[in-house]
Amino acid sequence: PGSTILYGASCVYDLGESIIVDTLITFPHILNPPQNPVVTVDEYAIFTWDPPEPGSTSPPHPLGFYNVYLDGVLEGVTNEQTWTFTDIVYGQTYLAEVCANYEAGSSELVGVEFIIPHILNPPLNVVLNHLLGIVFWEPPEASYATLIGYNVYLEGVLEAIVGIDVFEYQYTGLVPGQTYIAGVSTLYEEGESEIVEAWYGAPYICNPPTNASYEILEDHIHLTWQEPEPGSTFPFLNYRIYLDGELFETTELSYDIYDLISGQIYLVGLTALYEYLFESIPIEFEITFVGTDDVLTLETKLLGNYPNPFNPETTISFNISREDAKDAENVDLIIYNLKGQKIRTFPINQLTSQPVNHIIWDGRDENGNEVSSGIYLYKLRANHQTFTRKMLLIK
């Protein structure tokens, strides 16, 4: 193979021989190509192939047995049976080819088309707070795709589309005791990731503080407790102390409550707060404070509501100064929804001598109709002062 031979033929007659007619014949080499080219796509494109079938008549080229091409351009020469393409664009189609090099020349090219798909990573740590009806998530791992937002699902049905900087969503209208499946996916310009699901009503463990107790001192109440038992589902954040609806937070194992009124009964709650706003059941104390000073000199102040979140009712606490109490006709407490619509008005025109007052809201509007779950604002107006806080109704 590979040699050229000159053949000749002539005619022989009685009278002699004709001229000789010549022809050149070349015997070609058999140059078998590589077999079974395959591209495996991950972060990079891995091009592999099998050796040529036996029967080639020329030995492999000693300096490089294979030439590798990408879209018709030589990428390199190798003695291996694999090649990694690194300079590639996600979403683009390529043609990978390879030929075998022999001392006598190169085989035909064999190849395969491939596309590098975009990596559409889903959101991380999707959890559903079954008490608040809020689904939480964290951003996806880094991807070469362009992130544009998140799709939020309920029972497999698209509920909402939120922006790239939003990592929580509150459902409305959930029925207590019913099981739901929440889902969140990442939305890219190139497509949507898989949906990561979380169950409504999952048995999350949120252990409360342990060994909680209190001590009534001369001018304050001293609370102490110890860390929760291990085994909670989510990482611990801090402790919450509720005082007649007002909220305080600390990471310490004690807390001092000041500005108390002698003879006043206080409802104190203590909880452990975990990641994604999961909160333990409260440890509650009903404390009658007996101090050394019973002079009532508090200023007008909106203290808060307890419990919060609540269902079906909550107690809103506030202080009214003696000066504002003289003009009670200009003092009221109004509840609004997030659209700014007035839901309920409580006129405060009959004040007692106690500066700490309470109003119980039963989750109904002026007409006695139950309002839906959600966040509500309550505003205390006292003459020229206004105070506003938020509360969450869950059904």
Side-chain angles (χ1 to χ4, degrees):
S3 61
T4 301
I5 300 176
L6 177 64
Y7 287 89
S10 65
C11 295
V12 179
Y13 300 92
D14 289 343
L15 299 178
E17 182 181 11
S18 72
I19 62 173
I20 298 173
V21 179
D22 297 325
T23 183
L24 289 171
I25 299 178
T26 299
F27 294 89
H29 280 283
I30 299 174
L31 305 177
N32 289 328
Q35 301 294 303
N36 304 318
V38 175
V39 174
T40 302
V41 175
D42 193 0
E43 184 178 359
Y44 302 107
I46 310 299
F47 187 27
T48 59
W49 57 88
D50 295 332
E53 292 182 350
S56 297
T57 57
S58 175
H61 197 287
L63 297 182
F65 192 21
Y66 302 101
N67 282 358
V68 180
Y69 297 83
L70 183 66
D71 286 343
V73 178
L74 180 64
E75 281 278 306
V77 180
T78 179
N79 284 310
E80 305 293 332
Q81 290 164 226
T82 182
W83 188 270
T84 301
F85 299 112
T86 57
D87 189 14
I88 53 178
V89 178
Y90 286 84
Q92 183 171 324
T93 301
Y94 295 92
L95 174 62
E97 295 177 296
V98 62
C99 67
N101 291 328
Y102 298 90
E103 290 183 354
S106 299
S107 73
E108 64 176 327
L109 287 169
V110 293
V112 61
E113 282 191 343
F114 68 95
I115 185 171
I116 302 296
H118 288 282
I119 300 175
L120 306 180
N121 289 324
L124 300 175
N125 300 324
V126 177
V127 292
L128 180 66
N129 188 312
H130 60 283
L131 296 177
L132 302 179
I134 301 177
V135 62
F136 298 87
W137 63 90
E138 295 178 0
E141 294 181 349
S143 172
Y144 290 94
T146 304
L147 176 66
I148 59 175
Y150 300 94
N151 286 347
V152 182
Y153 295 85
L154 183 65
E155 294 293 302
V157 178
L158 182 63
E159 176 88 2
I161 302 174
V162 300
I164 60 176
D165 297 324
V166 178
F167 304 108
E168 63 181 68
Y169 178 82
Q170 182 171 17
Y171 296 102
T172 59
L174 300 183
V175 178
Q178 183 171 329
T179 300
Y180 296 92
I181 299 178
V184 183
S185 67
T186 312
L187 193 59
Y188 300 92
E189 286 186 357
E190 297 79 9
E192 182 183 10
S193 75
E194 64 176 322
I195 300 173
V196 182
E197 294 182 334
W199 288 82
Y200 177 83
Y204 299 129
I205 300 174
C206 300
N207 289 326
T210 58
N211 299 325
S213 63
Y214 69 90
E215 182 181 4
I216 299 177
L217 301 176
E218 193 171 277
D219 60 347
H220 67 279
I221 297 174
H222 180 63
L223 297 175
T224 59
W225 59 88
Q226 293 180 358
E227 296 177 351
E229 294 182 354
S232 295
T233 305
F234 301 103
F236 169 81
L237 295 180
N238 55 34
Y239 300 101
R240 282 183 167 182
I241 297 96
Y242 296 89
L243 176 65
D244 286 343
E246 192 169 4
L247 173 64
F248 308 92
E249 294 186 331
T250 181
T251 57
E252 304 296 329
L253 295 177
S254 65
Y255 191 83
D256 292 323
I257 304 174
Y258 288 92
D259 298 327
L260 302 173
I261 302 171
S262 181
Q264 180 75 36
I265 300 176
Y266 293 94
L267 180 62
V268 179
L270 170 66
T271 67
L273 183 67
Y274 296 88
E275 203 167 84
Y276 308 115
L277 299 183
F278 281 86
E279 193 169 3
S280 72
I281 59 173
I283 301 172
E284 295 182 333
F285 303 103
E286 189 174 81
I287 306 173
T288 300
F289 178 69
V290 179
T292 58
D293 186 3
D294 59 357
V295 179
L296 308 178
T297 59
L298 296 181
E299 62 181 354
T300 298
K301 186 177 181 182
L302 183 58
L303 299 177
N305 70 294
Y306 184 85
N308 189 21
F310 67 95
N311 179 30
E313 63 181 33
T314 186
T315 299
I316 302 173
S317 302
F318 52 91
N319 295 337
I320 300 295
S321 68
R322 294 191 181 279
E323 181 179 352
D324 289 331
K326 297 176 183 178
D327 192 11
E329 292 183 357
N330 293 324
V331 180
D332 56 19
L333 190 141
I334 306 174
I335 298 175
Y336 300 88
N337 60 21
L338 286 182
K339 296 180 181 179
Q341 298 169 327
K342 187 181 297 185
I343 302 298
R344 186 84 172 267
T345 300
F346 294 92
I348 307 173
N349 52 19
Q350 293 181 347
L351 296 176
T352 66
S353 59
Q354 295 292 332
V356 178
N357 292 263
H358 307 279
I359 283 179
I360 297 177
W361 183 44
D362 57 2
R364 298 178 182 270
D365 61 16
E366 299 283 10
N367 299 320
N369 300 316
E370 292 185 357
V371 299
S372 60
S373 299
I375 298 175
Y376 292 86
L377 307 176
Y378 54 103
K379 178 185 292 186
L380 175 65
R381 299 191 309 174
N383 296 315
H384 301 294
Q385 303 179 82
T386 59
F387 308 87
T388 304
R389 284 178 174 263
K390 293 181 180 180
M391 56 184 167
L392 175 60
L393 171 60
I394 299 176
K395 294 187 176 180

